[in-house]
Amino acid sequence: LEMSYKRLNEINLSNKSVLLRLDLNTPIENGLVANNERIVRSLPTLSYIIEAGARLIVMSHLGRPEENNSFQEEFSLSPVVKELESLLDKKIPLHSLDEFENLSHIPEISVIENTRFCIGEKTNDTDLSKRLASLADLVVMDAFATSHRAHASTTGVITFSSDACAGLLLDEELNALSKVKEESKNSVAILGGAKISTKLSLINSLSNYMDKVILGGGIANTLIAAKGYDVGKSLVEETMLSEATELLENPKIIIPNSVLVSDSPDKPGRITSIDAIAENEAIFDVAPESLTSLEPIFMNAGTILWNGPIGFFEKENFDKGTIKIAKMITASKGFSVAGGGDTISAAEKAGVLDKLDYVSTAGGAFLEFMEGRKLPAIEALKEKVN
Ligand code: 3PG
């Protein structure tokens, strides 16, 4: 039996103080939150704790500031707090950790500044972890997207807390992602993105537990080159050619045999078979027509995992492959999960964001979980069950 963690509904929250770790790491443009998806997806846990009658202290990191105990405006959670105030229709004070520790009265809800301002955050420092843990009766971990980081605010704080449990989003993420990992009958993975080096171990583990692994984007270019074809000016990772050759021997792995090439990403592409790419051309997309042969795989799929655009989808001339894949995924009756990096923007551009069965809020944590790696924050939560 797999050991699990405590959930919110197992704990009496009334009159307790709760330290809630969220992942509110969102893009900020001109002092405003440019995409509030992670904030919106954290609302159920926030509301649950507030309605249960607990005092709530929220913490998160934002970006990658200098870890030097000083305030850095560019990385302040201030825009996030403004967004949260408007979503919850409440005034929410924002304090540095020092300020918060010196408050004479703990507000009903408050936010602590960017945890990455604090020296000791990234080294999972014991003193910082204990300081954080002592702020509240209970630690609730809901930052699934940061659960792959063994930091003081994600891991140490749980270890040194009096009690800790998972939030609603973290639990929901793990359930949806586990479903794809465990129910692997007629399972299909589609992986895109630029570099094979960052995804090699993911491809290797997916090809163990999924039935088909369809590759596109720069990842596929390196396999096409490893097959011995001339790929012209395409993005290829020369140092990965021998690993790519090994992958080609795996019958589960599918690469495109027809692609869109051009001598510039700003010019329209030409459809060609992978054995006829000219010296001055680069691959910018999978030829959408060639994806039709994959339709039966999607139609019969039980579970579908999607990570990464399969072409240069930011450019209008080369977004058709990704859009076609997105449509094939959502036309299937299979349970579909998308996550990691650019996948959400790709799904948004293809107009399928709300048609996918589950969209993960996580980037790196999504990939590490799918790879089968242990996530330190989740391990710390499990260890709190005794
Ligand atoms: C993410 O956006 O993937 C998480 O918030 C983690 O951020 P990090 O890669 O800077 O640790």
Side-chain angles (χ1 to χ4, degrees):
L1 198 81
E2 171 89 42
M3 200 176 55
S4 192
Y5 42 76
K6 266 193 234 175
R7 293 176 176 78
L8 268 175
N9 62 7
E10 295 167 48
I11 294 170
N12 180 4
L13 294 175
S14 136
N15 294 318
K16 292 239 175 90
S17 54
V18 172
L19 178 61
L20 172 63
R21 176 53 157 106
L22 297 175
D23 188 329
L24 304 178
N25 182 25
T26 51
I28 308 289
E29 280 163 26
N30 305 316
L32 294 171
V33 168
N35 181 321
N36 70 2
E37 178 74 9
R38 280 181 171 170
I39 306 175
V40 169
R41 299 278 295 274
S42 302
L43 290 176
T45 301
L46 283 160
S47 307
Y48 183 101
I49 296 171
I50 295 169
E51 279 158 29
R55 278 187 195 284
L56 180 58
I57 308 150
V58 176
M59 63 174 172
S60 173
H61 74 286
L62 190 139
R64 294 176 176 174
E66 296 256 353
E67 194 181 289
N68 59 9
N69 279 352
S70 77
F71 174 80
Q72 296 146 71
E73 170 115 53
E74 189 195 339
F75 297 101
S76 170
L77 280 173
S78 168
V80 171
V81 172
K82 288 204 190 83
E83 180 73 13
L84 210 49
E85 285 184 319
S86 91
L87 288 167
L88 289 173
D89 195 22
K90 273 185 203 304
K91 274 249 150 264
I92 306 174
L94 173 65
H95 294 292
S96 71
L97 177 57
D98 285 325
E99 280 166 8
F100 188 85
E101 285 171 322
N102 291 313
L103 289 181
S104 54
H105 168 81
I106 310 289
E108 196 187 318
I109 168 169
S110 54
V111 178
I112 293 180
E113 256 299 3
N114 195 338
T115 51
R116 289 189 183 170
F117 289 168
C118 301
I119 292 178
E121 163 71 333
K122 293 203 293 288
T123 52
N124 196 20
D125 176 71
T126 302
D127 289 338
L128 179 61
S129 303
K130 286 182 175 167
R131 260 177 89 188
L132 292 170
S134 68
L135 298 178
D137 303 319
L138 171 74
V139 169
V140 177
M141 174 59 186
D142 210 22
F144 174 71
T146 329
S147 62
H148 60 317
R149 304 283 182 225
H151 291 177
S153 71
T154 61
T155 305
V157 69
I158 294 173
T159 308
F160 294 108
S161 65
S162 340
D163 201 4
C165 74
L168 302 173
L169 176 61
L170 184 137
D171 197 40
E172 175 195 284
E173 290 266 8
L174 285 174
N175 285 333
L177 274 45
S178 304
K179 196 163 163 177
V180 170
K181 251 176 98 180
E182 284 149 24
E183 290 172 24
S184 50
K185 202 162 153 32
N186 293 330
S187 56
V188 188
I190 306 99
L191 285 193
K195 287 186 167 176
I196 192 167
S197 53
T198 56
K199 292 195 185 160
L200 183 69
S201 47
L202 177 66
I203 300 169
N204 280 328
S205 33
L206 290 179
S207 57
N208 281 326
Y209 67 80
M210 307 281 292
D211 294 322
K212 294 270 185 296
V213 180
I214 301 168
L215 302 178
I219 296 177
N221 297 352
T222 303
L223 273 84
I224 294 170
K227 257 188 144 171
Y229 295 116
D230 196 337
V231 293
K233 298 231 169 337
S234 304
L235 185 76
V236 164
E237 280 177 278
E238 301 287 343
T239 57
M240 299 303 288
L241 288 172
S242 69
E243 281 88 348
T245 308
E246 252 172 66
L247 287 177
L248 286 168
E249 285 163 19
N250 186 333
K252 290 179 169 182
I253 301 227
I254 299 172
I255 59 168
N257 47 34
S258 164
V259 290
L260 265 181
V261 292
S262 177
D263 60 10
S264 155
D266 297 313
K267 290 189 201 159
R270 162 181 93 82
I271 296 178
T272 176
S273 130
I274 53 172
D275 60 5
I277 300 166
E279 219 175 287
N280 62 334
E281 290 174 326
I283 304 171
F284 290 121
D285 200 4
V286 173
E289 297 75 7
S290 76
L291 293 169
T292 309
S293 66
L294 300 177
E295 252 158 19
I297 297 180
F298 284 93
M299 281 340 227
N300 296 323
T303 51
I304 305 171
L305 165 70
W306 177 28
N307 167 254
I310 63 157
F312 196 172
F313 85 108
E314 293 90 341
K315 300 276 179 189
E316 214 162 299
N317 289 325
F318 302 104
D319 63 4
K320 309 290 177 298
T322 300
I323 292 174
K324 170 113 188 182
I325 280 280
K327 298 230 156 100
M328 282 161 64
I329 294 171
T330 50
S332 166
K333 287 198 180 63
F335 180 77
S336 56
V337 167
D342 288 338
T343 317
I344 296 183
S345 7
E348 218 159 25
K349 188 164 184 193
V352 302
L353 196 55
D354 54 1
K355 297 191 184 80
L356 291 156
D357 290 302
Y358 194 75
V359 178
S360 176
T361 58
F366 173 88
L367 300 179
E368 290 198 19
F369 180 80
M370 286 302 170
E371 216 180 294
R373 286 163 68 170
K374 288 205 185 307
L375 305 174
I378 314 289
E379 294 309 304
L381 274 181
K382 289 179 183 171
E383 276 160 27
K384 285 310 272 190
V385 182
N386 278 316

Short mmCIF file of all heavy atoms in Angstrom, two decimals, residues 186 188 190 212 214 254 287-302 304 320-321 323-334:
data_model
loop_
_atom_site.label_atom_id
_atom_site.label_comp_id
_atom_site.label_asym_id
_atom_site.label_seq_id
_atom_site.Cartn_x
_atom_site.Cartn_y
_atom_site.Cartn_z
N ASN A 186 -3.77 1.46 -23.61
CA ASN A 186 -3.85 2.36 -24.75
C ASN A 186 -3.46 3.78 -24.37
O ASN A 186 -4.20 4.73 -24.59
CB ASN A 186 -5.25 2.35 -25.37
CG ASN A 186 -5.57 1.02 -26.01
OD1 ASN A 186 -4.68 0.32 -26.47
ND2 ASN A 186 -6.84 0.67 -26.01
N VAL A 188 -1.11 7.13 -24.59
CA VAL A 188 -0.32 7.86 -25.59
C VAL A 188 0.30 9.09 -24.96
O VAL A 188 -0.38 9.83 -24.25
CB VAL A 188 -1.24 8.35 -26.75
CG1 VAL A 188 -0.40 8.93 -27.88
CG2 VAL A 188 -2.14 7.26 -27.25
N ILE A 190 2.44 12.64 -26.02
CA ILE A 190 2.92 13.51 -27.10
C ILE A 190 3.87 14.51 -26.47
O ILE A 190 3.48 15.27 -25.59
CB ILE A 190 1.78 14.29 -27.79
CG1 ILE A 190 0.71 13.35 -28.25
CG2 ILE A 190 2.29 15.12 -28.95
CD1 ILE A 190 -0.43 13.30 -27.30
N LYS A 212 2.48 4.36 -26.53
CA LYS A 212 3.03 5.09 -27.70
C LYS A 212 3.59 6.42 -27.22
O LYS A 212 2.99 7.09 -26.37
CB LYS A 212 1.90 5.41 -28.70
CG LYS A 212 1.26 4.19 -29.36
CD LYS A 212 2.00 3.84 -30.63
CE LYS A 212 1.35 2.71 -31.41
NZ LYS A 212 1.36 1.42 -30.71
N ILE A 214 4.78 9.85 -28.98
CA ILE A 214 4.89 10.61 -30.23
C ILE A 214 5.76 11.84 -29.98
O ILE A 214 5.49 12.61 -29.06
CB ILE A 214 3.48 11.04 -30.71
CG1 ILE A 214 2.60 9.81 -30.94
CG2 ILE A 214 3.58 11.91 -31.96
CD1 ILE A 214 1.13 10.12 -31.13
N ILE A 254 7.40 7.30 -31.92
CA ILE A 254 6.95 7.69 -33.27
C ILE A 254 7.49 9.08 -33.58
O ILE A 254 7.33 10.01 -32.79
CB ILE A 254 5.40 7.73 -33.33
CG1 ILE A 254 4.84 6.33 -33.03
CG2 ILE A 254 4.91 8.23 -34.68
CD1 ILE A 254 3.34 6.29 -32.88
N ALA A 287 4.32 18.28 -40.66
CA ALA A 287 3.30 18.53 -41.68
C ALA A 287 1.96 18.05 -41.14
O ALA A 287 1.80 16.86 -40.85
CB ALA A 287 3.66 17.81 -42.97
N PRO A 288 0.98 18.95 -40.98
CA PRO A 288 -0.29 18.56 -40.34
C PRO A 288 -0.96 17.37 -41.03
O PRO A 288 -1.51 16.49 -40.37
CB PRO A 288 -1.15 19.82 -40.46
CG PRO A 288 -0.21 20.94 -40.68
CD PRO A 288 1.00 20.38 -41.36
N GLU A 289 -0.84 17.31 -42.39
CA GLU A 289 -1.47 16.21 -43.14
C GLU A 289 -0.93 14.86 -42.68
O GLU A 289 -1.64 13.86 -42.65
CB GLU A 289 -1.22 16.35 -44.65
CG GLU A 289 -1.81 17.61 -45.28
CD GLU A 289 -1.02 18.89 -44.95
OE1 GLU A 289 0.06 18.81 -44.34
OE2 GLU A 289 -1.53 19.98 -45.28
N SER A 290 0.36 14.84 -42.34
CA SER A 290 0.98 13.55 -42.00
C SER A 290 0.48 13.06 -40.64
O SER A 290 0.64 11.89 -40.29
CB SER A 290 2.50 13.69 -41.99
OG SER A 290 2.92 14.35 -40.81
N LEU A 291 -0.13 13.96 -39.86
CA LEU A 291 -0.64 13.55 -38.54
C LEU A 291 -1.92 12.73 -38.66
O LEU A 291 -2.28 12.02 -37.72
CB LEU A 291 -0.88 14.80 -37.68
CG LEU A 291 0.38 15.57 -37.28
CD1 LEU A 291 0.02 16.91 -36.65
CD2 LEU A 291 1.24 14.75 -36.32
N THR A 292 -2.57 12.82 -39.81
CA THR A 292 -3.83 12.09 -40.02
C THR A 292 -3.64 10.59 -39.77
O THR A 292 -4.52 9.92 -39.22
CB THR A 292 -4.35 12.34 -41.45
OG1 THR A 292 -4.36 13.76 -41.63
CG2 THR A 292 -5.75 11.80 -41.64
N SER A 293 -2.46 10.08 -40.12
CA SER A 293 -2.20 8.65 -39.93
C SER A 293 -2.18 8.27 -38.44
O SER A 293 -2.28 7.09 -38.09
CB SER A 293 -0.88 8.26 -40.59
OG SER A 293 0.17 8.91 -39.91
N LEU A 294 -2.06 9.26 -37.56
CA LEU A 294 -2.02 8.97 -36.12
C LEU A 294 -3.43 8.96 -35.51
O LEU A 294 -3.60 8.60 -34.34
CB LEU A 294 -1.16 10.00 -35.38
CG LEU A 294 0.31 10.12 -35.78
CD1 LEU A 294 0.98 11.24 -34.98
CD2 LEU A 294 1.04 8.80 -35.54
N GLU A 295 -4.43 9.37 -36.30
CA GLU A 295 -5.79 9.49 -35.76
C GLU A 295 -6.28 8.24 -35.03
O GLU A 295 -6.83 8.36 -33.94
CB GLU A 295 -6.77 9.93 -36.85
CG GLU A 295 -7.22 11.36 -36.64
CD GLU A 295 -7.75 12.04 -37.90
OE1 GLU A 295 -8.12 11.33 -38.87
OE2 GLU A 295 -7.78 13.29 -37.90
N PRO A 296 -6.09 7.04 -35.61
CA PRO A 296 -6.57 5.84 -34.89
C PRO A 296 -5.96 5.69 -33.49
O PRO A 296 -6.64 5.26 -32.56
CB PRO A 296 -6.13 4.68 -35.79
CG PRO A 296 -5.89 5.28 -37.12
CD PRO A 296 -5.51 6.71 -36.92
N ILE A 297 -4.71 6.08 -33.35
CA ILE A 297 -4.06 6.00 -32.03
C ILE A 297 -4.81 6.86 -31.02
O ILE A 297 -5.09 6.44 -29.90
CB ILE A 297 -2.58 6.45 -32.11
CG1 ILE A 297 -1.79 5.51 -33.02
CG2 ILE A 297 -1.95 6.52 -30.70
CD1 ILE A 297 -0.31 5.88 -33.16
N PHE A 298 -5.16 8.09 -31.44
CA PHE A 298 -5.87 8.99 -30.54
C PHE A 298 -7.30 8.50 -30.28
O PHE A 298 -7.80 8.57 -29.17
CB PHE A 298 -5.87 10.42 -31.11
CG PHE A 298 -4.54 11.09 -30.95
CD1 PHE A 298 -3.59 11.04 -31.97
CD2 PHE A 298 -4.22 11.75 -29.78
CE1 PHE A 298 -2.36 11.64 -31.82
CE2 PHE A 298 -2.98 12.35 -29.61
CZ PHE A 298 -2.04 12.29 -30.64
N MET A 299 -7.95 8.01 -31.36
CA MET A 299 -9.33 7.56 -31.22
C MET A 299 -9.44 6.41 -30.22
O MET A 299 -10.41 6.31 -29.47
CB MET A 299 -9.91 7.15 -32.59
CG MET A 299 -10.34 8.36 -33.42
SD MET A 299 -10.59 9.78 -32.38
CE MET A 299 -11.99 10.53 -32.74
N ASN A 300 -8.43 5.54 -30.18
CA ASN A 300 -8.49 4.37 -29.29
C ASN A 300 -7.81 4.61 -27.95
O ASN A 300 -7.74 3.70 -27.12
CB ASN A 300 -7.80 3.18 -29.96
CG ASN A 300 -8.53 2.77 -31.22
OD1 ASN A 300 -9.76 2.82 -31.26
ND2 ASN A 300 -7.79 2.40 -32.26
N ALA A 301 -7.31 5.82 -27.74
CA ALA A 301 -6.51 6.06 -26.53
C ALA A 301 -7.37 6.03 -25.27
O ALA A 301 -8.49 6.53 -25.25
CB ALA A 301 -5.80 7.40 -26.65
N GLY A 302 -6.82 5.42 -24.21
CA GLY A 302 -7.47 5.44 -22.90
C GLY A 302 -7.01 6.66 -22.11
O GLY A 302 -7.80 7.34 -21.47
N ILE A 304 -4.17 10.13 -22.39
CA ILE A 304 -3.27 10.92 -23.25
C ILE A 304 -2.52 11.93 -22.40
O ILE A 304 -3.13 12.67 -21.63
CB ILE A 304 -4.07 11.67 -24.34
CG1 ILE A 304 -4.94 10.71 -25.15
CG2 ILE A 304 -3.14 12.46 -25.26
CD1 ILE A 304 -5.91 11.40 -26.10
N LYS A 320 0.32 24.96 -37.20
CA LYS A 320 -0.75 24.03 -37.61
C LYS A 320 -0.58 22.62 -37.05
O LYS A 320 -1.56 21.95 -36.73
CB LYS A 320 -0.87 23.95 -39.14
CG LYS A 320 -0.98 25.31 -39.84
CD LYS A 320 -2.30 26.01 -39.60
CE LYS A 320 -2.35 27.38 -40.25
NZ LYS A 320 -1.34 28.36 -39.73
N GLY A 321 0.67 22.18 -36.94
CA GLY A 321 0.92 20.84 -36.40
C GLY A 321 0.45 20.75 -34.96
O GLY A 321 -0.28 19.82 -34.56
N ILE A 323 -1.68 22.72 -33.45
CA ILE A 323 -3.14 22.89 -33.37
C ILE A 323 -3.84 21.57 -33.73
O ILE A 323 -4.78 21.14 -33.06
CB ILE A 323 -3.60 24.06 -34.28
CG1 ILE A 323 -3.10 25.39 -33.68
CG2 ILE A 323 -5.12 24.07 -34.46
CD1 ILE A 323 -3.35 26.62 -34.51
N LYS A 324 -3.33 20.91 -34.79
CA LYS A 324 -3.93 19.63 -35.21
C LYS A 324 -3.81 18.58 -34.09
O LYS A 324 -4.77 17.86 -33.78
CB LYS A 324 -3.26 19.15 -36.50
CG LYS A 324 -3.62 17.76 -36.91
CD LYS A 324 -4.42 17.71 -38.18
CE LYS A 324 -4.90 16.28 -38.40
NZ LYS A 324 -5.64 16.05 -39.61
N ILE A 325 -2.64 18.50 -33.48
CA ILE A 325 -2.43 17.56 -32.36
C ILE A 325 -3.41 17.88 -31.22
O ILE A 325 -4.08 16.99 -30.68
CB ILE A 325 -0.97 17.63 -31.85
CG1 ILE A 325 -0.03 16.83 -32.75
CG2 ILE A 325 -0.85 17.15 -30.41
CD1 ILE A 325 -0.03 15.31 -32.51
N ALA A 326 -3.51 19.17 -30.89
CA ALA A 326 -4.41 19.58 -29.79
C ALA A 326 -5.84 19.16 -30.09
O ALA A 326 -6.56 18.67 -29.21
CB ALA A 326 -4.32 21.09 -29.61
N LYS A 327 -6.26 19.31 -31.35
CA LYS A 327 -7.63 18.94 -31.73
C LYS A 327 -7.82 17.43 -31.69
O LYS A 327 -8.89 16.93 -31.31
CB LYS A 327 -7.95 19.48 -33.14
CG LYS A 327 -7.88 21.02 -33.19
CD LYS A 327 -9.11 21.64 -33.83
CE LYS A 327 -9.29 23.08 -33.37
NZ LYS A 327 -8.81 24.07 -34.34
N MET A 328 -6.79 16.68 -32.10
CA MET A 328 -6.90 15.22 -32.06
C MET A 328 -6.99 14.74 -30.61
O MET A 328 -7.72 13.79 -30.31
CB MET A 328 -5.68 14.58 -32.77
CG MET A 328 -5.81 14.62 -34.30
SD MET A 328 -4.24 14.39 -35.18
CE MET A 328 -3.79 12.78 -34.74
N ILE A 329 -6.26 15.39 -29.73
CA ILE A 329 -6.30 15.01 -28.31
C ILE A 329 -7.70 15.23 -27.76
O ILE A 329 -8.27 14.37 -27.09
CB ILE A 329 -5.27 15.83 -27.48
CG1 ILE A 329 -3.85 15.50 -27.91
CG2 ILE A 329 -5.46 15.59 -25.98
CD1 ILE A 329 -2.78 16.41 -27.30
N THR A 330 -8.27 16.40 -28.06
CA THR A 330 -9.55 16.72 -27.43
C THR A 330 -10.73 16.03 -28.14
O THR A 330 -11.80 15.92 -27.56
CB THR A 330 -9.78 18.24 -27.35
OG1 THR A 330 -9.54 18.83 -28.62
CG2 THR A 330 -8.83 18.86 -26.34
N ALA A 331 -10.50 15.55 -29.37
CA ALA A 331 -11.57 14.80 -30.05
C ALA A 331 -11.64 13.37 -29.50
O ALA A 331 -12.64 12.68 -29.65
CB ALA A 331 -11.31 14.76 -31.56
N SER A 332 -10.57 12.94 -28.86
CA SER A 332 -10.52 11.57 -28.34
C SER A 332 -11.33 11.45 -27.06
O SER A 332 -11.47 12.40 -26.30
CB SER A 332 -9.06 11.21 -28.05
OG SER A 332 -8.98 10.04 -27.28
N LYS A 333 -11.85 10.24 -26.81
CA LYS A 333 -12.58 10.00 -25.56
C LYS A 333 -11.62 9.71 -24.42
O LYS A 333 -12.01 9.66 -23.26
CB LYS A 333 -13.54 8.83 -25.73
CG LYS A 333 -14.75 9.18 -26.57
CD LYS A 333 -15.87 8.15 -26.35
CE LYS A 333 -17.11 8.47 -27.18
NZ LYS A 333 -16.84 8.41 -28.65
N GLY A 334 -10.35 9.51 -24.74
CA GLY A 334 -9.35 9.22 -23.72
C GLY A 334 -9.22 10.35 -22.72
O GLY A 334 -9.51 11.51 -23.03
#
